Amino acid sequence: MQGRKAVLILHGKQAMNDEVREAVRGMRERGWTLDVRVTWEAGDAQRFVDEAVAAGYTHVVAGGGDGTLRDVAEAVGLAATDASLALLPLGTANDFAKAAGIPLEPAAALALLEQPAKPIDLGQVGEQLFLNMATGGFGSQVTANTSEDLKKVLGAAAYLFTGLSRFSELQAAKVALHGPGFDWQGELLALGIGNGRQAGGGQVLCPEAVADDGLLDIAILPAPQEMLGALRDLFAGEGLFVRARLPWVEVKCSQGLDINLDGEPLQAESLRFEAKPAALRLHLPEGSPLLSRPG
């Protein structure tokens, strides 16, 4: 059937996933041309997307964890294509997919290819695009330092375990943020700049974020005097956050701030984040919480 032509860009470690194989087979039986490309090294996602666009594929599917989903979403966003994107979440955290209501079962996730694609925003920092969230401060260090072996054993709880075990390293960062009608400076424990709502295995930093409003949600957890309570609040998604919703925000930190960009580590003294409205057409379930007009 015309228009039912998709390519699945699959993280290499999922190549032997029987559930994924069965889900692909099921979509082919429903009349889809669904080809599979398996990533092996950095740059594969961009190359596979470029090849798919040149070959006339109408749909791209990103299969893997949050980092793979970001890589493929970035590549599609940069490709200036009408091809739409679907997400096959296969990671430990699956933060964007969970917030968006995307099923974690491969067959149900692939079935979203038959739902109309909706325009959504992407975030941008420098030359990089991101799908879900940029996090800074202690929370991003926890995400970056949680081992793959621990994730396999504990799942998303591995992030909390790592955070508690690294409690002695908890340090505040002195940061200044500036955006349209917004200025904040001080010491913070955690920073979230979200197109999605959660990061780091379920830390809901931006609970009201939607992905189609042309804005980024900003969440700042200021450093209090009592560090243990702050750590508890950070992983519970609670606490005295400072919040804003902005088209762009500049972040400056004289000692350098560690940023985690959907799994991609960054470090800089000054960064500018901005929303790129309607940068991507994404297949989402009907009534997805990340749509401002879910109907």
Side-chain angles (χ1 to χ4, degrees):
M1 185 179 297
Q2 188 176 9
R4 295 166 72 90
K5 183 178 180 181
V7 60
L8 166 59
I9 299 174
L10 184 67
H11 191 284
K13 70 179 182 180
Q14 298 292 338
M16 303 304 294
N17 186 318
D18 289 337
E19 279 192 272
V20 172
R21 287 175 174 265
E22 185 61 32
V24 169
R25 187 179 301 115
M27 293 303 290
R28 289 171 176 169
E29 291 173 354
R30 291 162 70 161
W32 281 82
T33 297
L34 181 53
D35 297 322
V36 180
R37 304 289 182 266
V38 177
T39 63
W40 175 256
E41 57 192 354
D44 280 352
Q46 181 70 62
R47 178 167 59 86
F48 289 149
V49 167
D50 291 343
E51 291 173 353
V53 170
Y57 285 89
T58 53
H59 305 74
V60 177
V61 183
D66 287 317
T68 299
L69 270 50
R70 186 202 75 86
D71 287 346
V72 178
E74 177 183 47
V76 174
L78 293 172
T81 176
D82 290 331
S84 58
L85 179 67
L87 304 180
L88 176 58
L90 299 169
T92 302
N94 300 313
D95 282 306
F96 185 86
K98 288 177 180 177
I102 294 171
L104 301 185
E105 299 78 17
L110 286 182
L112 289 179
L113 282 167
E114 298 180 345
Q115 291 284 339
K118 303 288 187 180
I120 69 160
D121 311 330
L122 291 174
Q124 182 170 5
V125 54
E127 300 298 319
Q128 294 182 269
L129 300 178
F130 61 97
L131 175 66
N132 183 42
M133 187 178 296
T135 58
F138 184 72
S140 64
Q141 296 171 27
V142 168
T143 304
N145 287 284
T146 301
S147 75
E148 293 298 323
D149 289 339
L150 197 60
K151 291 178 189 177
K152 291 177 184 177
V153 175
L154 297 179
Y159 296 100
L160 176 57
F161 179 86
T162 302
L164 294 173
S165 67
R166 295 172 64 91
F167 171 72
S168 62
E169 301 175 32
L170 184 57
Q171 294 180 343
K174 190 171 184 179
V175 176
L177 288 89
H178 168 71
F182 178 80
D183 285 283
W184 186 91
Q185 61 181 353
E187 293 188 338
L188 60 76
L189 291 180
L191 169 67
I193 301 175
N195 192 43
R197 296 185 174 182
Q198 65 184 58
Q203 299 175 44
V204 183
L205 296 177
C206 302
E208 302 299 324
V210 291
D212 62 350
D213 60 353
L215 301 170
L216 295 171
D217 278 46
I218 315 300
I220 302 165
L221 181 62
Q225 296 298 315
E226 205 273 302
M227 291 296 187
L228 181 59
L231 180 62
R232 181 186 62 247
D233 291 344
L234 171 61
F235 287 100
E238 301 172 357
L240 299 176
F241 281 91
V242 175
R243 302 192 183 277
R245 185 169 287 166
L246 305 169
W248 59 266
V249 64
E250 293 177 346
V251 182
K252 296 182 179 181
C253 181
S254 59
Q255 68 267 42
L257 183 66
D258 290 311
I259 293 289
N260 189 291
L261 198 68
D262 289 356
E264 180 75 14
L266 296 175
Q267 187 178 56
E269 293 183 1
S270 179
L271 293 167
R272 178 186 170 100
F273 297 84
E274 59 184 290
K276 306 296 288 184
L280 185 70
R281 294 173 58 245
L282 185 65
H283 295 272
L284 291 168
E286 185 175 356
S288 171
L290 288 189
L291 294 176
S292 59
R293 297 173 295 278

